[in-house]
Amino acid sequence: MSIKMLPTRDGYGNGLVELGATNPDVIVLDADLAKSTRSDWFANKYPDRFFDIGIAEQDMVGTAAGLALGGKIPFATTYAVFVAGRAWDQIRTTVCYSDLNVKIAGAHGGISAGGDGATHQSLEDIALMRVLPNMHVIVPCDAIEAKKATIAVAGIHGPCYLRFAREATPVFTAEEDFFAIGKANVLQNGSDVAVIACGPVVYEALLAHDQLKEMGISARIINMHTVKPLDEEVVLAAAQETGAIVTIEEAQVYGGLGGAVAELLVKNKPVPVEMMGVMDTFLECGTPEELAVKYGFTAKDIVAAVKRVLARK
Amino acid sequence: MNSPSLEKLTEICRDVRADIVKMTAAAGSGHPGGSLSAVELMTVLYFKVMNHRPNQVDWPERDRFFLSKGHACPVVYSVMARAGYFPVEELITLRKCGTRLQGHPSCKALPGIEVSSGSLGQGLSIANGVALAAKLNKKDFRAYVLMGDGELQEGQIWEAMMTSAHYKLDNVCAIVDYNGLQIDGDVEAVMGIAPLAQKWRAFNWHTIEIDGHDLAQVLAAFEEAKATKGKPSVIIAKTIKGKGISFMENVAGWHGKAPNSEELQKALDELYGREN
Ligand SMILES: Cc1ncc(C[n+]2csc(CCOP(=O)(O)OP(=O)(O)O)c2C)c(N)n1
Ligand SMILES: [Mg+2]
């Protein structure tokens, strides 16, 4: 059976369109990338609630801050690398310090900007956003979850960062699956090891689960779509009950999901952890599949990491 | 609020200047220079121009003020206190641990501050956003933003200048405190911004040039801005950094330095005459 493939940014576009119909306060901003980010799906339906700010990411975030002060729910949208990087100070000092109700959408996150090379591969955004007080950080695993996350952030107060991927990736969650910000989804139960993942790479973790099962290893697979606030209960239970953790994210290995998990465990329940991600380097251009193989984001790499962590148990 | 006369405003300005030197002296740090240059601008704004309710800071119809040059908060704190937002006695807590009067304004600490600021270059974008929201909600309130002339070197401001004009935000009024100085010296020597009025005009702004210490001119400029439809307005106010305290006037060194007790006394003597 072939699985349906869609980019998570499509989920964002769909979520915005639904919000447009249900919430008149939702405003969408973009910085000249509306087609790529799918914010144009909203713009086409609700042109009077869409504002293109031009190639001016810092101004876009500031404008969003003002809209939030005026009672609106702005979604400031562009590539992850440009919004989280170039507008970081605006996000920190104006949005987060004042705890404004600004939603930030970073498209083309992770390795999925493949062919554009290192300038466009956002690998630091999760860490950059995670260190900010008041910020929520959400990395949906597929297009369905991306739509739910987009709708969900409009329903909570405060700064939220949503990260989407460019490439079509497997759609493996269902419309009726439970989704709540800050609540991890345990996709497979297991007792030997837990794999904690976020974003489309969660699917690779599920594939790894099946391969490990054949080897007699029982792996718990956790979809940690919300990197901040981290679902500490689920992480601690996994450490307690399995005694070994693997984390994986399409991001620099420092400061992101793996860092969050390690910070929690080192204080409360130190168990061996293998952190998977980009190993403190800039990448290169290539198809996302090529990069996944070369830099270790496949099910096979996860199986290897599980074996390493089990050896340390 | 009942509307004070220009004579009364002159008195308030003098008290505000005294507040600025007193509070920075008590704190042992802070920014007197760029606060003193904006005294008339802020006093006229808070006492004559803005539609606001000091006892109801979340009144939805209020005009919004954004201090883009957050370091100049002493002047804003003083004007707010004197307009009735909080007791004047509290001014002396500036920068002390536990105070509501943070070294750069915090909206979480002090009700009446619309948004926290202190990282330069961001206020105009925020004013644009709230002005857009006003238009979308069919509200009449206006957004005011005070910027420094050195601050204009920040690229985000020029992005925002395009945005205000592009979306015809005639409910935005920018004010440039054109005191000619920044931390490292003369603005024109550090990174020139002249010819300033031409630049704003070229960005499709209604541009008003005034003497920023002449209360009548300041008031007239705000009225002209209010009456201007279809485009945003900027008031380029020629000012003197450190205005009103002779030894601080036009001296870059008084940007971010507090007066010691001797200097404070000298400043107060100048403001009120020796007998005080
Ligand atoms: C983004 C940013 N960079 C640097 C500073 C440090 N800084 C504070 S005030 C200032 C000079 C401001 O000069 P100007 O805008 O002319 O202000 P004024 O003369 O009115 O005090 C600088 C560089 C800052 N607060 N924010
Ligand atoms: Mg200056």
Side-chain angles (χ1 to χ4, degrees), chain B:
Chain B
M1 225 185 307
N2 53 9
S3 190
S5 63
L6 288 190
E7 293 74 57
K8 178 72 190 154
L9 286 180
T10 306
E11 273 173 40
I12 298 172
C13 286
R14 189 173 60 175
D15 292 341
V16 169
R17 288 203 156 86
D19 288 342
I20 291 167
V21 286
K22 281 191 218 162
M23 62 203 289
T24 51
S29 64
H31 297 83
S35 295
L36 290 165
S37 57
V39 168
E40 282 76 15
L41 295 167
M42 288 299 97
T43 302
V44 170
L45 190 63
Y46 272 77
F47 283 87
K48 282 289 233 199
V49 176
M50 278 210 298
N51 191 21
H52 63 134
R53 294 179 179 168
N55 56 3
Q56 191 190 352
V57 294
D58 59 352
W59 181 42
E61 311 303 322
R62 72 192 183 281
D63 287 339
R64 279 27 175 210
F65 171 70
F66 299 101
L67 182 66
S68 192
K69 52 166 207 164
H71 61 276
C73 54
V75 64
V76 176
Y77 291 153
S78 166
V79 170
M80 283 175 72
R82 293 189 176 277
Y85 280 85
F86 58 87
V88 171
E89 297 73 58
E90 194 173 335
L91 290 173
I92 215 74
T93 67
L94 174 76
R95 290 179 169 242
K96 303 261 164 69
C97 196
T99 184
R100 301 198 293 174
L101 311 187
Q102 295 289 298
H104 291 78
S106 162
C107 62
K108 291 290 157 190
L110 186 65
I113 296 291
E114 300 287 351
V115 75
S116 306
S117 63
S119 174
L120 293 169
Q122 304 192 29
L124 185 55
S125 302
I126 304 167
N128 285 341
V130 85
L132 262 179
K135 297 244 177 216
L136 289 164
N137 292 340
K138 311 232 178 316
K139 297 268 189 190
D140 285 332
F141 67 77
R142 295 173 59 74
Y144 293 92
V145 55
L146 179 68
M147 295 179 284
D149 48 1
E151 185 189 2
L152 295 185
Q153 291 152 357
E154 284 286 356
Q156 186 187 348
I157 291 178
W158 301 82
E159 301 175 1
M161 280 162 68
M162 285 187 269
T163 300
S164 328
H166 182 82
Y167 288 111
K168 301 187 170 43
L169 298 176
D170 51 16
N171 48 354
V172 166
C173 178
I175 309 146
V176 178
D177 184 353
Y178 201 179
N179 59 29
L181 290 177
Q182 57 190 107
I183 294 180
D184 283 349
D186 285 7
V187 172
E188 286 310 308
V190 174
M191 178 53 64
I193 58 171
L196 190 56
Q198 278 100 312
K199 285 177 179 160
W200 284 87
R201 275 192 206 104
F203 275 64
N204 293 328
W205 280 67
H206 180 68
T207 304
I208 307 166
E209 294 174 89
I210 58 160
D211 172 350
H213 298 306
D214 180 321
L215 289 168
Q217 283 190 38
V218 172
L219 185 55
F222 280 122
E223 294 303 330
E224 182 178 332
K226 234 183 238 187
T228 302
K229 298 297 165 201
K231 46 161 74 173
S233 292
V234 59
I235 298 171
I236 300 177
K238 192 79 203 72
T239 58
I240 293 169
K241 197 155 177 168
K243 171 76 178 176
I245 313 296
S246 62
F247 57 92
M248 291 188 180
E249 285 191 2
N250 276 322
V251 179
W254 283 104
H255 168 84
K257 187 176 82 167
N260 61 29
S261 55
E262 222 169 282
E263 290 159 337
L264 171 64
Q265 195 49 55
K266 195 157 169 255
L268 294 175
D269 287 349
E270 283 186 17
L271 288 170
Y272 292 107
R274 276 224 167 268
E275 61 279 11
N276 275 33

Side-chain angles (χ1 to χ4, degrees), chain A residues 18 28 32 49 75 80 100 115 161 165 179 187 195 197 234 238 252 304:
Chain A
E18 185 163 321
V28 179
D32 202 32
R49 283 191 272 149
F75 282 73
L100 299 183
Y161 178 73
F179 176 85
L187 302 181
V195 179
V234 164
Q252 297 290 357

